């Protein structure tokens, strides 16, 4: 396949890197700069899409994408890679967590988006229609957002097509995160994610998560960069070395404990801990040091992410417990 697949940007000539800022044919999607780097190998090969900054304060992921866009050599590379390191620039510049400031929506809950919807829905729609659905493989890099810590893990969503799922599985094993969560098709908790839209179009894809808590960490960025490079080796885009694959711990889904009431959260666990049914995850206090609520694990598993901010709203998310695959 030699044609340029990603209509989101003008086709670079073979052997050329093009970079700049996206311009959408949608009058609502203005006022921000969305950077892109489009690298077209001199030789044909697969089309790979890499995004980061869907959540604008997940810094190691954004930095890994920036580094990747700069280092890929179009002269020696096979195929085509579109790197979009900052899909939610409003959140980046406002240091906002979870949402797109323009409309307050979580961009990773509105996929596949709508052509005439909200700002976030339109952005998702453009990304799906002009990039995601045309990719041979998709990596969406994330981390814990501003108030979240996590252990590195990857997610893919089942597509209903075993061959596609096997490719997503291989992407995760090549990226190299030690934990892998396999999301069942069309669940309420994670519907609307980038990789769900990809799966619906038969495009193998993973979300790769590392770093968090609003921290920039160059070592984590380099780990994510190495993971992305190894994925590109596994796909034949890079031929500088042989791809390696790991055997991650596997999880069959998430349990997301939430608070009943608002309160000041004192955790009893650390991110990465294993918990059993009935274990205390933490307590909520009022401002007179009275315990108002105890958060209990309702399933056994591992704390893959944990909210680090004590400020927990009513029905506030506390953590994500990865439920081990049978
Ligand atoms: Zn994220």
């Amino acid at each position: 396949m030699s044609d340029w697949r990603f209509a989101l940007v003008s086709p670079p000539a073979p052997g050329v890197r093009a970079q700049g800022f996206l311009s959408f044919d949608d009058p609502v999607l203005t006022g921000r700069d969305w950077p892109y780097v489009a690298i077209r190998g001199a030789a044909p090969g697969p089309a790979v899409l890499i995004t980061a900054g869907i959540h604008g304060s997940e810094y190691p992921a954004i930095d890994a994408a920036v580094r990747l866009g700069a280092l890929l050599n179009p002269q020696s590379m096979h195929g085509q890679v579109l790197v979009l390191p900052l899909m939610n620039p409003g959140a980046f510049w406002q240091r906002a967590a979870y949402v797109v400031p323009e409309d307050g929506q979580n961009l990773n809950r509105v996929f596949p988006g709508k052509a005439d919807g909200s700002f976030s829905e339109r952005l998702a729609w453009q990304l799906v229609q002009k990039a995601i659905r045309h990719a041979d493989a998709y990596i969406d890099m994330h981390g814990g957002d501003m108030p979240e810590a996590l252990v590195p893990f990857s997610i893919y969503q089942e597509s209903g097509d075993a061959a596609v799922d096997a490719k997503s599985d291989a992407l995760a094993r090549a990226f190299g995160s030690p934990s892998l969560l396999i999301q069942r098709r069309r669940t309420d908790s994670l519907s609307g994610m980038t990789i769900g839209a990809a799966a619906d179009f038969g495009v193998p894809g993973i979300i790769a998560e590392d770093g968090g808590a609003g921290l920039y960490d160059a070592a984590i960025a380099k780990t994510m960069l190495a993971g992305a490079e190894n994925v590109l080796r596994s796909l034949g885009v890079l031929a500088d070395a042989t791809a390696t694959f790991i055997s991650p711990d596997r999880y069959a889904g998430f349990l997301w404990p939430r608070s009943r009431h608002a309160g000041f959260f004192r955790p009893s666990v650390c991110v990465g801990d294993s918990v059993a049914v009935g274990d205390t995850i933490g307590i909520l206090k009022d401002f007179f040091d009275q315990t108002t609520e105890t958060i209990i694990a309702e399933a056994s598993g591992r704390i893959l992410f944990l909210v680090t901010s004590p400020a927990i709203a009513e029905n506030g998310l506390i953590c994500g417990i990865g439920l081990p695959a049978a």
Side-chain angles (χ1 to χ4, degrees):
M1 185 72 187
S2 58
D3 290 339
W4 181 254
R5 300 269 195 93
F6 303 120
L8 212 48
V9 303
S10 301
V16 168
R17 172 202 324 274
Q19 62 191 42
F21 299 96
L22 300 178
S23 56
F24 298 102
D25 57 357
D26 181 334
V28 172
L29 296 176
T30 57
R32 302 285 184 188
D33 288 329
W34 287 266
Y36 76 86
V37 183
I39 309 104
R40 188 169 185 180
V48 183
L49 175 66
I50 296 170
T51 56
I54 294 265
H55 297 130
S57 302
E58 297 172 355
Y59 303 125
I62 295 167
D63 192 49
V66 168
R67 290 170 188 261
L68 183 71
L71 76 72
L72 290 175
N73 179 352
Q75 292 296 325
S76 59
M77 197 188 83
H78 292 245
Q80 48 189 272
V81 177
L82 178 60
V83 182
L84 303 171
L86 184 56
M87 281 308 298
N88 183 355
F92 177 81
W93 292 113
Q94 294 191 17
R95 299 174 176 164
Y98 300 122
V99 299
V100 174
E102 280 82 352
D103 60 14
Q105 287 189 289
N106 184 336
L107 182 54
N108 208 25
R109 297 292 179 275
V110 302
F111 281 82
K114 282 183 201 160
D116 59 351
S118 66
F119 187 96
S120 293
E121 288 167 337
R122 288 167 185 251
L123 185 58
W125 177 261
Q126 293 275 337
L127 185 60
V128 169
Q129 299 302 325
K130 296 181 180 176
I132 289 176
R133 64 181 294 181
H134 306 291
D136 294 310
Y138 177 32
I139 307 171
D140 183 25
M141 293 195 283
H142 286 251
D145 212 323
M146 200 78 85
E148 281 174 358
L150 55 74
V151 292
F153 65 92
S154 296
I155 312 173
Y156 73 82
Q157 182 161 318
E158 291 181 338
S159 67
D161 178 333
V164 172
D165 296 347
K167 288 181 182 175
S168 295
D169 202 278
L171 295 176
R173 288 182 288 115
F175 194 91
S177 299
S179 296
L180 170 60
L181 191 138
I182 300 165
Q183 190 64 35
R184 300 186 73 165
R185 205 163 183 218
R186 298 257 181 242
T187 65
D188 291 336
S189 62
L190 291 180
S191 64
M193 299 201 320
T194 50
I195 53 169
D200 286 346
F201 283 106
V203 174
I206 57 167
I207 284 178
E209 305 248 7
D210 204 347
L215 298 174
Y216 169 63
D217 185 318
I220 293 174
K222 288 175 185 175
T223 298
M224 299 189 88
L225 170 64
E229 287 184 276
N230 193 56
V231 168
L232 294 177
R233 283 182 202 111
S234 76
L235 297 168
V237 173
L238 296 179
D240 59 328
T242 304
T244 57
F245 295 89
I246 67 150
S247 299
D249 295 330
R250 289 171 179 272
Y251 298 89
F254 261 132
L255 185 74
W256 288 7
R258 289 182 172 274
S259 67
R260 290 191 301 279
H261 310 289
F264 188 107
F265 180 52
R266 289 184 190 163
S268 308
V269 297
C270 294
V271 69
D273 283 357
S274 292
V275 292
V277 177
D279 284 357
T280 299
I281 294 171
I283 55 176
L284 292 180
K285 286 279 187 179
D286 67 14
F287 292 95
F288 310 97
D289 203 34
Q290 298 304 302
T291 299
T292 54
E293 190 172 335
T294 302
I295 310 291
I296 300 291
E298 291 178 358
S300 298
R302 185 161 182 242
I303 310 275
L304 295 180
F305 72 83
L306 178 66
V307 171
T308 53
S309 164
I312 299 293
E314 182 182 330
N315 196 36
L317 182 60
I318 302 290
C319 66
I321 301 176
L323 306 173

